[in-house]
């Protein structure tokens, strides 16, 4: 792991960024985002190491840091506006001297489906003027669109629903963290599990009686008859706003009223959900590493396509 780990191929050039007042405003926002990330209760100590590297690099501006490759992304909670559901992300990336900030998100409406969007990208290289692309004028359909600065100011990890992603090829602790989270069924190599076993075990751990009752609908053989399918991005129940990572199961499905799709904790699903099944709802079980695996509501061969 400790051979020449830096993949950066740097030419000898200028070692300082050329920053205008607006650049400095964006970078100040990026710094405040990293301060919040560093204090976030969900941040793993292994991730903090890489966040601190980025903080160090930003603190040294306008001097360039040519050898770091660190990416930090914050994904915000989902918000609904009538039938529209959105969430936003904010990125800070340093890649071999190139500094990048970006924001964007995802927009979903039952009538038109989902789409991801980019709100802004900003990039700076040492010795050159920065490059800013602002797409907000085209994003009139996004009800809670904000500038990078305002969006970062709105980030509040104490309200929950956020997720943090940190990548840093020079941080071996991140790999250890992921290995631990993946659990260790076998200790040899991590990347053989899909190729050779063909069957990835899953767990169902109900946290209350309502979940235990719904769990009875799970057919283990049926789960194994499908390719493992995982849900991404769901953090809170759309109805009661409870944090799904405190639950053992949740349903991504249609609500009885309004025909809207929603993420539902099991108690809310029992009151408002239309049921489990293809075109109605999928049940996901939280795995020990935090992944959500589909365990019921599969498409069966005699289901007609709904879409
Ligand atoms: Zn709920």
């Amino acid at each position: 792991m400790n051979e020449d780990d830096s993949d950066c191929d740097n030419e000898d050039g200028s070692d300082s960024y050329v920053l205008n007042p607006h650049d400095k405003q964006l970078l100040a926002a990026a710094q405040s985002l990293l301060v919040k990330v560093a204090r976030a209760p969900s941040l793993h100590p292994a991730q903090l190491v890489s966040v601190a590297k980025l903080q160090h690099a930003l603190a040294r501006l306008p001097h360039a840091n040519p050898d770091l490759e660190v990416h930090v992304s914050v994904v915000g909670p989902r918000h609904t506006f009538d039938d529209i559901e959105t969430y936003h992300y904010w990125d800070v990336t340093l890649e071999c001297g190139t500094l990048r900030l970006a924001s964007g998100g995802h927009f979903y409406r039952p009538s038109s489906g989902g789409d991801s969007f980019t709100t802004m990208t900003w990039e700076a290289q040492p010795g050159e003027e920065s490059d800013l692309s602002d797409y907000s004028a085209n994003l009139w359909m996004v009800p809670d669109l904000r500038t990078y600065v305002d969006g970062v100011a709105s980030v509040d990890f104490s309200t929950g629903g956020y997720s943090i992603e940190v990548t840093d090829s020079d941080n071996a602790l991140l790999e250890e963290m992921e290995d631990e989270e993946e659990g260790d069924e076998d200790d040899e190599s991590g990347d053989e599990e899909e190729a050779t076993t063909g069957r990835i075990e899953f767990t169902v751990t109900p946290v209350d009686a309502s979940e235990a009752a719904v769990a009875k609908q799970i057919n283990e053989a049926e789960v194994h008859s499908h390719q493992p399918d995982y849900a991404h991005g769901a953090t809170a129940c759309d109805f009661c706003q409870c944090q799904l990572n405190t639950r053992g199961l949740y349903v991504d499905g249609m609500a009885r009223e309004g025909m809207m799709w929603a993420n539902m904790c099991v108690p809310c699903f029992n009151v408002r959900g239309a049921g489990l099944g293809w075109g109605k709802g999928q049940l996901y079980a939280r795995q020990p590493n935090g992944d959500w695996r589909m365990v019921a509501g599969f498409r069966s061969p005699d289901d007609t396509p709904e879409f």
Side-chain angles (χ1 to χ4, degrees):
M1 283 284 102
N2 276 338
E3 64 272 26
D4 183 11
D5 243 344
S6 169
D7 298 326
C8 302
D9 183 18
N10 297 299
E11 294 150 35
D12 299 322
S14 165
D15 59 357
S16 286
Y17 298 99
V18 182
L19 301 173
N20 66 40
H22 185 249
D23 295 336
K24 290 177 184 170
Q25 201 188 359
L26 288 173
L27 288 163
Q31 280 178 297
S32 77
L33 179 66
L34 294 176
V35 168
K36 293 182 192 188
V37 168
R39 291 178 187 157
S42 62
L43 193 77
H44 194 284
Q47 296 176 303
L48 182 58
V49 173
S50 294
V51 173
K53 287 187 198 174
L54 258 187
Q55 288 186 291
H56 172 75
L58 293 188
R60 293 185 69 237
L61 290 173
H63 293 287
N65 236 301
D67 296 322
L68 287 180
E69 273 190 280
V70 182
H71 169 74
V72 173
S73 184
V74 173
V75 182
R78 294 178 180 214
H79 292 293
T80 51
F81 306 87
D82 297 324
D83 64 338
I84 295 172
E85 182 186 79
T86 67
Y87 63 83
H88 295 258
Y89 69 81
W90 302 271
D91 290 353
V92 183
T93 309
L94 183 55
E95 194 182 346
C96 305
T98 301
L99 194 49
R100 285 194 197 93
L101 307 178
S103 62
H106 192 266
F107 172 93
Y108 175 78
R109 183 161 46 190
S111 58
S112 56
D115 229 336
S116 55
F117 58 86
T118 304
T119 311
M120 179 217 78
T121 62
W122 177 92
E123 186 177 300
Q125 292 180 10
E128 293 173 29
E129 305 246 313
S130 64
D131 194 0
L132 171 70
S133 302
D134 184 343
Y135 304 97
S136 52
N138 304 327
L139 297 171
W140 48 268
M141 75 294 265
V142 180
D144 57 344
L145 194 71
R146 289 191 177 110
T147 65
Y148 189 86
V149 172
D150 289 347
V152 164
S154 76
V155 170
D156 179 1
F157 287 103
S158 70
T159 64
Y162 288 85
S163 63
I164 300 169
E165 188 185 289
V166 177
T167 50
D168 175 359
S169 56
D170 284 347
N171 181 354
L173 301 179
L174 287 176
E175 287 167 39
E176 285 179 20
M177 179 191 98
E178 280 159 21
D179 289 347
E180 274 162 31
E181 287 179 353
E182 271 164 25
D184 29 12
E185 303 107 60
D186 68 51
D187 29 20
E188 289 294 41
S189 118
D191 42 14
E192 68 175 29
E193 51 187 358
E194 288 202 26
T196 56
T197 65
R199 174 177 160 127
I200 299 174
E201 297 302 329
F202 67 98
T203 60
V204 177
T205 314
V207 300
D208 61 19
S210 67
E211 290 195 354
V214 168
K216 293 198 178 108
Q217 299 189 43
I218 299 169
N219 176 332
E220 191 179 338
E222 186 191 24
V223 176
H224 280 302
S225 73
H226 294 268
Q227 285 292 322
D229 197 347
Y230 297 92
H232 297 283
T235 53
C237 172
D238 288 326
F239 291 118
C240 71
Q241 304 300 324
C242 73
Q243 291 304 298
L244 294 176
N245 61 15
T246 65
R247 315 289 314 185
L249 295 161
Y250 87 91
V251 177
D252 183 2
M254 199 178 289
R256 247 173 255 166
E257 282 174 49
M259 301 286 281
M260 252 191 65
W261 281 74
N263 295 316
M264 295 172 267
C265 68
V266 169
C268 289
F269 166 74
N270 285 337
V271 177
R272 310 180 78 155
L276 293 177
W278 191 249
K280 281 199 294 188
Q282 276 70 50
L283 180 66
Y284 292 90
R286 185 159 53 88
Q287 303 303 296
N289 67 357
D291 284 349
W292 287 98
R293 176 147 173 193
M294 196 200 291
V295 290
F298 293 99
R299 180 177 196 163
S300 61
D302 42 283
D303 277 323
T304 47
E306 297 243 350
F307 307 105

